[in-house]
Amino acid sequence: MSINKGVGLKIVILGSLGVGKTSLLNRYVNNRFTQEYRTTLGASILPKEIRVDNTLVKLQIWDTGGQERFKSLVPSFSKGSDGCVLVFDVTDRDSLYALEGWREEILLQIPLEYKDYPFVALGNKVDLTERQVTSDEAEAWCSSHNIPYFEVSAKEDINVDHAFENIARNALLQDSKWKDSYLMNSISLGDNRTSVRNNCC
Ligand code: GDP
Ligand code: MG
C-alpha cells in the first residue's frame, strides 16, 4: 500500500463561551476531561493526525482560548481554515441561537467561489439531564443549513471522535476538489500561454 505525505488541514472550533470547546478538544486530542473551568487567553493550536481512508490527515485545530467574547477576532482566527466545528451546549438554548452568528462570521471570511465550506455542529453536554434543546430542534437548524449534527459529551466521551472524523473527511473532500479545480485552471492557463508563444515566435 502506498503511503502519501499527508494533507494538512486547518480546522477552527467556535461557539459561545462555556459550551465546552476546549473540553472537546482536550478529549479528542489528549483523551482527558477536567471539570475545572479555565479560560486561557490566546489561541491554542492542537495537532492531531488521523487516517481518513488512505490519506494521512494532519489536523491543526484552532481553539479561541476565551476570545470568543470578542467577535472582532474571528476574522483573523478563521483565515485560511478548511473547516469549522460549531459547538453549542444542549442545556443552554441561547448557545444554539448563537450558532447562526458564528456561521455568518466564518462565511464572511471564505472566498465566494468556495461554496461548500464544511461545517459540523456539535450539541455538547448530553450527559446532563437538564436539557433546554431537543435533538429535533438542533437537527432542524442544522438541516436548514445542510450541516451534519452530532450529540456529544466531552465528559463521558460520547461521539467525539466520530464528530471530528466527519469534519476531517468533509474538509479533505473539499480540499481535493479545490486543488483539482485549481489544477484545471492552471492547465488551461498553461495551454493559453503555449498558444501565445507559438503565435508570436
Ligand atoms: P469553552 O469556553 O467553550 O472552551 O468551554 P470549556 O471547555 O472551558 O468548558 C466549560 C465548562 O463546561 C467546564 O466547567 C467544563 O468542565 C464543562 N463541560 C465541558 N464539556 C462538558 C460535558 O460534556 N459535560 C459536562 N457535564 N460538562 C462539560
Ligand atoms: Mg475554551
Side-chain angles (χ1 to χ4, degrees), residues 33-163:
F33 178 80
T34 162
Q35 204 64 251
E36 177 194 325
Y37 197 98
R38 66 209 122 53
T39 47
T40 37
L41 278 182
S44 51
I45 304 169
L46 284 104
K48 169 108 177 171
E49 288 192 2
I50 58 166
R51 194 161 278 284
V52 177
D53 302 328
N54 231 354
T55 306
L56 177 67
V57 179
K58 299 173 180 178
L59 297 176
Q60 280 200 335
I61 315 172
W62 289 48
D63 186 16
T64 51
Q67 293 161 338
E68 56 274 64
R69 277 167 293 182
F70 314 109
K71 273 218 167 133
S72 56
L73 292 171
V74 173
S76 54
F77 177 77
S78 51
K79 214 176 201 170
S81 64
D82 298 291
C84 173
V85 179
L86 293 171
V87 185
F88 73 96
D89 172 350
V90 295
T91 70
D92 172 10
R93 184 179 300 274
D94 286 345
S95 71
L96 171 68
Y97 295 156
L99 295 193
E100 190 70 49
W102 294 115
R103 179 180 165 275
E104 281 166 11
E105 283 291 327
I106 280 272
L107 288 178
L108 286 176
Q109 311 312 317
I110 307 303
L112 274 181
E113 60 272 29
Y114 197 172
K115 288 189 207 78
D116 297 317
Y117 179 83
F119 285 101
V120 66
L122 312 190
N124 189 34
K125 309 194 189 179
V126 292
D127 56 283
L128 298 175
T129 48
E130 59 269 27
R131 278 184 78 134
Q132 285 188 359
V133 180
T134 63
S135 312
D136 285 353
E137 242 176 305
E139 284 280 4
W141 182 81
C142 291
S143 61
S144 73
H145 293 298
N146 221 357
I147 297 177
Y149 174 58
F150 293 85
E151 303 224 310
V152 298
S153 165
K155 184 177 181 188
E156 301 293 334
D157 195 10
I158 299 170
N159 240 351
V160 178
D161 280 12
H162 201 185

Side-chain angles (χ1 to χ4, degrees), residues 4 29 59 166:
N4 51 32
V29 176
L59 297 176
N166 179 283

Side-chain angles (χ1 to χ4, degrees), residues 20-34:
K21 299 179 297 297
T22 305
S23 303
L24 284 164
L25 288 187
N26 199 22
R27 168 62 73 196
Y28 182 55
V29 176
N30 305 315
N31 201 18
R32 285 203 203 108
F33 178 80
T34 162

